[in-house]
Amino acid sequence: MSVRVRRVYEPPESEDGVRVLVDRLWPRGLAKDAARVDEWPKGLTPSTELRRWYHAGEGSYEEFARRYEAELAEPEAAELLDRVRELAGQGTVTLVTASKNLQEGHAAVLARLLQS
C-alpha cells in the first residue's frame, strides 16, 4: 500500500496512481483537466468549523488531528475513508491538496490513517 501527499498545483506524475482531491473547495486558478483528479470525496474533508478553528491558530496540530479523526469516524466519512483505503490496497494513491503545509494538515492525518 502506497499513499502519497502532494500539492494539487504540482504537475501530475506517472507515479501518482489514483489522485484523490482531499479539499472541500476546488483549488483556485486550477483547471480541472490540469489537476487530473480521479476522485473528489468532499465528505472526507474537515468540517468548516474545524478548519476555521485550526487556521485561526486556536489549537495545536495534535488537537486538530484528534478532532479530525473523530469526524472521520462518523458513518459517511468512514465509508469514504474505506473507499480510499480500498483504492490504496490496489496501488498507489496520491492525496492532493491546495494546502501549503503538507506535514501538519488534514492530508497528513488522512495519509497516516490510510497507512495504519
Side-chain angles (χ1 to χ4, degrees):
M1 176 182 300
S2 176
V3 178
R4 303 173 68 189
V5 177
R6 298 185 65 219
R7 292 204 67 219
V8 71
Y9 297 107
E10 296 172 8
E13 297 177 350
S14 59
E15 300 84 33
D16 285 348
V18 177
R19 290 171 55 93
V20 180
L21 178 63
V22 294
D23 292 341
R24 188 169 301 269
L25 303 175
W26 189 261
R28 281 198 178 139
L30 185 65
K32 292 192 180 192
D33 59 332
R36 212 193 98 226
V37 168
D38 300 303
E39 304 263 337
W40 188 14
K42 295 177 190 175
L44 203 57
T45 62
S47 66
T48 300
E49 297 79 21
L50 180 57
R51 190 174 38 82
R52 285 181 180 159
W53 172 84
Y54 183 54
H55 291 297
E58 296 179 20
S60 67
Y61 172 71
E62 291 76 20
E63 179 64 15
F64 166 77
R66 188 188 66 71
R67 291 182 183 192
Y68 183 37
E69 286 180 34
E71 289 184 357
L72 291 170
E74 295 295 320
E76 179 189 354
E79 187 176 316
L80 292 169
L81 187 61
D82 286 343
R83 164 78 178 131
V84 177
R85 188 175 282 121
E86 193 176 296
L87 291 171
Q90 298 170 10
T92 302
V93 167
T94 299
L95 306 176
V96 292
T97 179
S99 177
K100 292 179 182 175
N101 187 348
L102 299 180
Q103 290 75 33
E104 292 188 343
H106 68 287
V109 174
L110 283 172
R112 182 174 44 78
L113 289 175
L114 289 168
Q115 293 173 331
S116 61

